[in-house]
Amino acid sequence: MNGTPPAGRTGPIPSALTAGSAPAPVLQTTGLGRRFGGLQAVSDVDLSIPPGRTIGVIGPNGAGKSTLINLITGHLTPSSGRVLINGVDLTGARPWRVAHAGVARTFQIVKPFRGLTVCDNVAVAALFGPSPARTPTAARKEAAQVLERVGLGGKDPLTTAELSVADARRLELAKALALQPKLLLLDEVLAGLRPVEIDASLQLIDDLKKAGLTLLVVEHIVQAITAVSDEILVLHHGQVLMHGAPDHVLGDERVIEAYLGRRYAKRNRT
């Protein structure tokens, strides 16, 4: 499909895509692409995530990983293709419409509300999500519960400037979870963390999986993304290089050559 699609089209996914007994995907992209002038940042990405599954996305810097998230969540408008959330076509819809459809995301560079406390950062999401809290007091109560869940219990009154790198990333996740999403997209939530902090974050992601949340996780730490993903998608020059089970993908010669390197392959074969 070529040309810019109409913004925010709605309607059920065609019946041919939902035929059969398998549950309809929470997220489906078909032919998804984005061009910036002469640069094709993302090209012809087909992706389908059933409920409760976790897809890991890896690839070199500049491969199009964050651009893919931006296209799904409405922060960029696709140049081609479609984005369907729970069977509804939200291609080109504004970010708040995508959020109200049950989609939340984190940002690679954390984006707190710097004039607010940790608690109020999360309460904003609770107030303006698809199932909003009725009052600011109720929103703060919900925020406190989410902060406890992500390991920030007791840090409610702090300013965002008082948080460590690890805690700032937990706050980013808490804001997303306060929207009560059905689909959560994580953009390098482990970046800059120490090993013990990575372990704690992976445990949290695993808990979210067990709770039935559908996840798309972009990450550079291969061992980490292997631990949490049911499938891995590899992007290279904006295109899907490979998509499949983690062991199969990480053992593929094309993936080793384009991303992992021979040293990784040798170390993991011994």
Side-chain angles (χ1 to χ4, degrees):
M1 181 182 299
N2 295 317
T4 303
R9 294 177 299 174
T10 59
I13 188 171
S15 59
L17 296 177
T18 55
S21 58
V26 175
L27 168 67
Q28 185 169 26
T29 70
T30 56
L32 191 62
R34 171 70 189 207
R35 177 178 291 277
F36 297 97
L39 173 65
Q40 187 72 44
V42 169
S43 177
D44 200 29
V45 173
D46 294 338
L47 177 64
S48 180
I49 310 181
R53 300 283 287 179
T54 297
I55 302 295
V57 181
I58 62 174
N61 289 330
K65 303 183 296 296
S66 292
T67 301
L68 177 62
I69 287 182
N70 287 334
L71 291 171
I72 292 168
T73 56
H75 290 82
L76 286 173
T77 300
S79 302
S80 59
R82 304 172 72 198
V83 176
L84 299 112
I85 306 296
N86 291 310
V88 176
D89 191 337
L90 291 177
T91 308
R94 303 299 291 171
W96 54 86
R97 285 198 58 213
V98 179
H100 276 248
V103 180
R105 64 164 298 176
T106 66
F107 290 86
Q108 188 175 348
I109 299 174
V110 296
K111 296 180 180 290
F113 301 110
R114 298 194 181 278
L116 302 181
T117 65
V118 167
C119 182
D120 283 348
N121 261 266
V122 182
V124 167
L127 278 169
F128 294 100
S131 301
R134 292 176 179 267
T135 65
T137 299
R140 290 189 178 98
K141 182 177 180 180
E142 290 182 21
Q145 294 172 344
V146 176
L147 288 168
E148 188 71 37
R149 185 180 187 186
V150 303
L152 289 177
K155 299 189 177 182
D156 311 44
L158 298 182
T159 66
T160 58
E162 296 176 275
L163 297 179
S164 66
V165 171
D167 283 348
R169 293 203 173 278
R170 290 190 184 99
L171 176 59
E172 188 78 3
L173 180 56
K175 288 159 55 186
L177 290 175
L179 292 171
Q180 302 179 27
K182 298 179 179 67
L183 170 65
L184 178 62
L185 299 95
L186 303 178
D187 195 355
E188 297 196 29
V189 292
L190 306 180
L193 303 188
R194 296 173 295 176
V196 65
E197 294 167 340
I198 290 173
D199 290 342
S201 295
L202 289 177
Q203 182 59 58
L204 177 57
I205 293 171
D206 190 58
D207 290 343
L208 295 174
K209 287 184 60 176
K210 290 176 180 176
L213 194 59
T214 306
L215 296 161
L216 186 147
V217 183
V218 169
E219 191 51 64
H220 276 293
I221 304 173
V222 175
Q223 292 85 350
I225 204 163
T226 302
V228 300
S229 299
D230 299 305
E231 300 175 28
I232 290 179
L233 181 145
V234 185
L235 285 179
H236 188 50
H237 297 308
Q239 297 181 313
V240 177
L241 180 63
M242 193 171 186
H243 182 194
D247 289 346
H248 181 57
V249 168
L250 298 181
D252 187 89
E253 287 294 323
R254 294 169 297 170
V255 177
I256 293 169
E257 187 69 29
Y259 180 58
L260 298 175
R262 296 292 168 184
R263 183 177 298 178
Y264 172 90
K266 183 177 180 181
R267 183 173 64 247
N268 285 271
R269 286 169 182 166
T270 58

